[in-house]
Amino acid sequence: MKKTYDSPWLIKNKYKKTICKFCEYQIVSKHFSRHLERRHKDEPTVKELLNKEPNSQEKKALLSLIRNEGNLDDGLRGKIIPKKRKIGENINEKDFAICQYCRAFYRRLNLSRHVKKCSARPAEYEGTTRPLAESYIYAACQKKIWGSVK
């Protein structure tokens, strides 16, 4: 007979993890803002984050951008952490592409839908029929920049 556990803490790999862009540690996503406050309060982007109103849309957007940048750095090394995924789903990096505005990994099939309503997209955006092609160009440029810097 298979054991079942009522406590979510006993279930291994239940929570999604994210990569910190400053120290490159893996942190459970729900504890990420606390990690930034405690460990990286001297970084300029974290200072800006801490100066925002609690629970404001601006603070949530900036926190999401910091989280996505850490995941992007790790994704360029070959380990993709998608923005949305099903529990227990196998991740094939060929199925995902990068949004050039919010720097998150989305399924290639859903990228054009996401770009239309991406909150990090500039206001003067007129729309494109080729978000996937732009994603590949953005990824290639990031790999070139990332490879020369790190």
Side-chain angles (χ1 to χ4, degrees):
M1 187 170 179
K2 190 175 183 181
K3 284 186 176 181
T4 58
Y5 298 101
D6 294 332
S7 173
W9 301 106
L10 299 176
I11 299 171
K12 193 173 184 180
N13 296 330
K14 178 179 172 32
Y15 296 105
K16 183 178 175 185
K17 298 202 169 137
T18 190
I19 306 294
C20 178
K21 80 175 198 171
F22 303 112
C23 62
E24 298 179 0
Y25 283 143
Q26 248 189 353
I27 296 125
V28 175
S29 282
K30 69 180 192 174
H31 302 304
F32 187 67
S33 61
R34 181 173 63 194
H35 168 79
L36 290 177
E37 287 176 23
R38 291 180 179 176
R39 303 285 165 104
H40 307 293
K41 57 187 168 205
D42 298 331
E43 298 288 337
T45 53
V46 178
K47 283 182 181 177
E48 183 183 342
L49 179 75
L50 295 175
N51 290 334
K52 303 278 184 191
E53 283 285 321
N55 296 326
S56 68
Q57 291 296 324
E58 298 159 352
K59 184 172 184 171
K60 290 177 184 178
L62 186 58
L63 180 64
S64 179
L65 192 61
I66 293 170
R67 180 181 287 128
N68 291 344
E69 285 176 356
N71 290 339
L72 175 65
D73 290 345
D74 205 42
L76 294 175
R77 289 187 201 111
K79 187 179 184 304
I80 291 178
I81 300 175
K83 185 73 171 181
K84 295 182 180 182
R85 65 180 171 93
K86 296 175 187 167
I87 295 175
E89 176 185 30
N90 291 334
I91 298 171
N92 184 1
E93 66 180 69
K94 292 181 181 178
D95 294 340
F96 291 91
I98 303 169
C99 172
Q100 62 181 344
Y101 303 113
C102 66
R103 299 175 188 97
F105 286 94
Y106 285 93
R107 289 198 173 280
R108 289 176 44 211
L109 300 173
N110 298 336
L111 184 66
S112 61
R113 186 179 315 134
H114 163 74
V115 168
K116 287 179 185 175
K117 55 184 178 175
C118 181
S119 59
R121 187 184 72 212
E124 63 273 355
Y125 176 78
E126 294 176 1
T128 180
T129 57
R130 303 179 56 182
L132 190 59
E134 290 178 2
S135 170
Y136 290 145
I137 293 168
Y138 179 76
C141 293
Q142 288 299 313
K143 282 185 181 180
K144 185 176 180 182
I145 292 169
W146 184 79
S148 65
V149 173
K150 298 207 179 193

